[in-house]
Amino acid sequence: MDAAEGSPSTGQAVAGAPHASAPDQGQENEPLLGPEEAEAFKSKWRAVQTAFVDDPQDAVRTADALVAEVMQTLTRSFASRKEGLESQWGRGEEVLTEDLRIALQRYRSFFNRLLST
């Protein structure tokens, strides 16, 4: 969302969280961050907006750092899920097709969101 609105697109659950029973319809809108983590980021964003009045330049620097932190958090979440699947392959275990389907759906959802922003 627009930075001025105070609602960055972070209010979403962890990408690697197990949701094997989640219906396909919900996959596209599945949260990317957990509720606590999302709320912490939103709280930081509100502080950035409040600080803008007193020091606009510092507020923009802080906003940049916050967006970078959100992106790094999302990257770690997806990397963790990927590592979990790859470790199963590395041990010679068979990864369930259902787990791979869910992983692909999450990647597709994230990919589409990135392209639509």
Side-chain angles (χ1 to χ4, degrees), residues 13-71:
V14 176
H19 289 76
S21 61
D24 288 344
Q25 298 90 340
Q27 292 292 327
E28 283 301 314
N29 295 318
E30 182 179 331
L32 298 173
L33 296 172
E36 299 86 15
E37 199 166 31
E39 189 52 45
F41 283 130
K42 288 177 183 180
S43 177
K44 289 179 183 181
W45 185 260
R46 287 188 294 271
V48 167
Q49 285 189 277
T50 301
F52 183 84
V53 173
D54 294 326
D55 191 347
Q57 199 170 34
D58 186 58
V60 171
R61 276 194 293 271
T62 304
D64 179 66
L66 181 57
V67 168
E69 183 181 355
V70 170
M71 291 171 58

Side-chain angles (χ1 to χ4, degrees), residues 82-95 100:
K82 178 183 169 196
E83 287 173 14
L85 291 171
E86 288 176 344
S87 70
Q88 288 178 295
W89 294 325
R91 291 190 307 262
E93 295 177 20
E94 189 171 321
V95 179
L100 295 171

